[in-house]
Amino acid sequence: MKYIEKLRKSGLRPTKQRLQICEVLFDTERTFHFTINDLVKKINEKLNHKISLATVYNTVHAFEKKGYLKQIPINSNQTYFDTNISDHHHFYDLKEEKLIDLENSDVGPINIFKKIDGKKIKSVEVLVKLED
Amino acid sequence: MKYIEKLRKSGLRPTKQRLQICEVLFDTERTFHFTINDLVKKINEKLNHKISLATVYNTVHAFEKKGYLKQIPINSNQTYFDTNISDHHHFYDLKEEKLIDLENSDVGPINIFKKIDGKKIKSVEVLVKLED
DNA sequence: TTACTACTTTATAATGATTCTAAAAAGGTG
DNA sequence: CACCTTTTTAGAATCATTATAAAGTAGTAA
Ligand SMILES: [Mn+2]
Ligand SMILES: [Mn+2]
Ligand SMILES: [Zn+2]
Ligand SMILES: [Zn+2]
């Protein structure tokens, strides 16, 4: 399996559950945005059995910490994650409640003129809210 | 009181609780960011009695709907609000877990080249995460 | 293979922010 | 005041997320 090495390199044991979650998350044509609930549904569809909810949470957080997933800041009662870990921005369709990627070429360069002493910029994220 | 008219114009009855919350939120030198919990603490400090939690939630949401408060999208278990309703962006200090305003002059113009059919841009918000 | 240890999974309970409920209180109007 | 609507409130309910702790598994070295 191609994910075994990836997990080992990260210091994560390649367990059955983690490998199966890798398949659901990363064996896709396109990247996508999801909540934990979305992911549990995908797992139940793709596999014919369940992975415990605690494991799904644990795994997603482990993957996020290792940089294989990104969390998207958005006002929702649920946390949104992204399998697209490149630097990029988002549309948020308020009616559909769906995120849409804005690739870097879709957004002009962003200049931040203000500086805070002793702090470095870690990331710059743009959220563009869409209405009808 | 200066807030009575403001509330009346919005179709909100100027109740004692709403006026007191107005004082805590808007009788300040500077705008600020807060969670519901922060606000409850401020109310308990400024006034010598409590306003029920449900009323604080109701009022904040009513004010947000009327445009007197903004919600700031951020990854937190609590919802952050802003008394600065101008178009502006934010630093988020990851260690302090504090928002810092970026005025429009602190950020260069932002160009979004992508369009989605039938959708209009409602807002563009930049979140700049800071680390040490 | 076996034994050992650390890590992982799991069911379940706990937490905590937010929302709901429905009855009491207060505002607006005449 | 009398009437009606809106608002407040305490408390319960909801629900995403995290914690717990016992059972299972992976890695490793004898
Ligand atoms: Mn969802
Ligand atoms: Mn706070
Ligand atoms: Zn994305
Ligand atoms: Zn602000």
Side-chain angles (χ1 to χ4, degrees), chain B residues 33 72 82 84 88 90 101:
Chain B
H33 307 103
I72 307 298
D82 198 341
N84 179 351
H88 69 286
H90 293 92
D101 276 349

Side-chain angles (χ1 to χ4, degrees), chain B residues 56-72:
Chain B
V56 177
Y57 272 98
N58 289 342
T59 301
V60 166
H61 287 142
F63 286 4
E64 195 222 347
K65 190 174 241 176
K66 295 301 178 184
Y68 304 141
L69 291 173
K70 285 201 331 185
Q71 219 177 321
I72 307 298

